[in-house]
Amino acid sequence: MKKIAKLSLVASLAVAGLTTTVSADSLAQAFADAKVKGEIKSLYFQKEKESGADAKSSIWSNGGNLSLTTGSYYGLKAGVTFQTAHVGNIDDEAGNYAKDMDVSGSVMSQAFLSYGIENTTVKVGRQYIKTRLVAGSGSRILKQSFEGIVLANTDLPQTTLVVAYVDKYQNRTDLNGNVPKFDQAGDGAYTIYAKNKSIDNLTLEAQYLQAKPENGSLDDDAKIFYAQAAYKLSPITLEVQTYQSDNGAAGNVETKNKEYGVKLSGKFGGFSAAAAYTTIDSGAEIESGIGSGADEIFTAAPISSGNYDAQTDAYKLDLGYKFGNGLGLSASYTDWETDGGDDSSETNITAKYKFNKNLSTKIMYSTFGGDYSYDYRSRVYLSYKF
């Protein structure tokens, strides 16, 4: 299975708190009201093929993060987050983890000012993001971050509107074992997002993203539109989605394509279950968004993520159970079939255990079938949050 398509330009979108909190009457009080939180974590990743120079790779990395956010001073807040990562052991001659886990050092991933008045908030600077088309992934030792300006408003009933421009991006590594810098993301990217919950049990979301290439040519802009509707009638939820993307490639080549998906899920006591199906038309590979966390296709697998190749049909089955003592188990099967005859699958088992409100662990193990290049991949996470 091909890697998920990633745009060369990177943008961000974030919705900060949308109501103004009580303001401090002095800067000293705003700093006195500051909140500090952080995390200490340890991650072990392993993957194996049948043969080849990169038949088996593994890495053990330790690190964490520390964040401080001030109280409100007449609607103005400031925040900063530092991340650190250090490789404890690595066996990776082929460099399989160079892009995502092989990193040692520290970086300031958040440094922002936000201002809120009534139902409008503006946030400027480095910030973490989690939206449908733009999202930094936190599944590795360092979390991806972005830099830009975001304006959010909730004046319309049951509606959130956001517009943003972003032009810098911090990845997971610098590809040479060091912490990444905030690199210029071409000529920047623009996005608009809307979410509406006016109808009982129905949530509607839509997002549009336009990323400008470094040469600034409007003819080569990459464009993505995403829409999703979720109707919840407890204990069942029905969801539908679509991607409509244009990768903006120059020349006489196909640039556009569409994806459609449907998902049915439910919770029954401690049990959870879901079934999903997605299909992608012929044409270019679907652009799923910006940042490794922009992976919203319903058939994304736990470890190998989603397949956005043209003419791909996929389905996914999930089953989980929470025991009530902090332990949760889940299993899933995902299968992808392309029009060219490629057939790949991932079977995953995940166990989560929460020792207390601060300390937790997660263990993931996946085997692969068909044309997938790996036999198995495993991950172990240990996290202490404070």
Side-chain angles (χ1 to χ4, degrees):
M1 183 180 68
K2 294 182 179 178
K3 295 181 179 179
I4 299 172
K6 297 298 176 185
L7 301 178
S8 60
L9 305 175
V10 183
S12 86
L13 174 63
V15 180
L18 298 176
T19 57
T20 304
T21 58
V22 177
S23 298
D25 58 5
S26 70
L27 282 174
Q29 186 61 44
F31 280 101
D33 294 338
K35 295 182 179 180
V36 177
K37 64 179 182 179
E39 179 183 16
I40 301 171
K41 55 186 176 179
S42 181
L43 280 64
Y44 177 79
F45 283 29
Q46 186 181 54
K47 57 180 70 174
E48 184 171 350
K49 295 181 180 180
E50 287 185 354
S51 61
D54 55 350
K56 189 172 183 179
S57 299
S58 64
I59 187 169
W60 174 46
S61 186
N62 303 284
N65 55 75
L66 185 66
S67 299
L68 182 146
T69 304
T70 69
S72 175
Y73 178 66
Y74 296 104
L76 184 67
K77 292 183 178 181
V80 63
T81 298
F82 290 92
Q83 292 193 92
T84 188
H86 303 278
V87 175
N89 185 69
I90 184 170
D91 180 9
D92 187 23
E93 294 182 5
N96 291 316
Y97 292 110
K99 293 182 179 180
D100 61 352
M101 282 288 288
D102 186 7
V103 53
S104 293
S106 302
V107 59
M108 184 172 65
S109 296
Q110 291 201 108
F112 62 83
L113 291 174
S114 68
Y115 179 73
I117 181 170
E118 296 184 349
N119 296 323
T120 300
T121 299
V122 62
K123 192 174 185 180
V124 181
R126 300 179 178 182
Q127 52 195 285
Y128 289 147
I129 309 304
K130 179 57 181 174
T131 61
R132 299 298 186 182
L133 287 184
V134 184
S137 171
S139 64
R140 305 301 195 269
I141 194 66
L142 287 186
K143 186 174 182 177
Q144 294 166 325
S145 187
F146 308 85
E147 185 173 310
I149 180 169
V150 179
L151 180 67
N153 179 271
T154 56
D155 279 327
L156 297 176
Q158 300 294 311
T159 302
T160 298
L161 297 174
V162 181
V163 293
Y165 169 77
V166 179
D167 64 350
K168 288 187 179 181
Y169 168 63
Q170 172 229 297
N171 209 334
R172 292 161 164 165
T173 80
D174 71 345
L175 305 181
N176 293 305
N178 305 309
V179 293
K181 298 179 180 179
F182 275 79
D183 293 323
Q184 192 71 29
D187 288 336
Y190 306 83
T191 189
I192 182 169
Y193 168 84
K195 181 177 182 179
N196 180 272
K197 301 180 71 173
S198 298
I199 301 175
D200 289 345
N201 301 317
L202 179 64
T203 300
L204 301 174
E205 294 178 79
Q207 188 171 352
Y208 175 78
L209 174 69
Q210 180 167 326
K212 296 184 68 177
E214 294 186 9
N215 62 12
S217 170
L218 293 178
D219 293 334
D220 293 338
D221 285 352
K223 304 174 182 69
I224 311 172
F225 173 76
Y226 178 86
Q228 178 174 328
Y231 184 75
K232 185 174 183 179
L233 189 60
S234 244
I236 301 297
T237 299
L238 174 64
E239 300 172 81
V240 293
Q241 71 173 185
T242 184
Y243 281 93
Q244 314 275 320
S245 79
D246 184 343
N247 63 25
N252 187 25
V253 296
E254 180 64 60
T255 64
K256 300 179 180 180
N257 208 348
K258 300 176 182 179
E259 176 271 348
Y260 301 95
V262 60
K263 180 180 179 181
L264 187 67
S265 60
K267 294 183 179 180
F268 315 90
F271 285 97
S272 62
Y277 171 77
T278 59
T279 183
I280 300 176
D281 290 346
S282 60
E285 189 174 22
I286 289 288
E287 298 291 355
S288 64
I290 298 174
S292 299
D295 186 22
E296 294 294 333
I297 195 167
F298 288 157
T299 52
I303 286 186
S304 56
S305 302
N307 186 337
Y308 296 85
D309 293 343
Q311 295 181 287
T312 295
D313 293 324
Y315 67 88
K316 179 183 178 183
L317 302 174
D318 284 281
L319 183 64
Y321 185 76
K322 290 185 178 180
F323 289 87
N325 60 352
L327 176 64
L329 296 176
S330 63
S332 69
Y333 177 78
T334 310
D335 185 89
W336 303 271
E337 295 184 8
T338 66
D339 188 61
D342 293 335
D343 187 359
S344 303
S345 65
E346 175 179 339
T347 302
N348 173 268
I349 297 176
T350 296
K352 298 180 181 179
Y353 185 72
K354 195 168 186 178
F355 299 93
N356 52 51
K357 66 177 183 179
N358 304 106
L359 182 62
S360 64
T361 187
K362 179 171 68 173
I363 301 172
M364 306 176 71
Y365 179 84
S366 288
T367 59
F368 302 89
D371 298 301
Y372 203 92
S373 59
Y374 282 96
D375 291 329
Y376 81 88
R377 296 168 70 178
S378 61
R379 297 176 182 176
V380 179
Y381 300 81
L382 183 64
S383 169
Y384 181 84
K385 296 182 179 180
F386 57 90

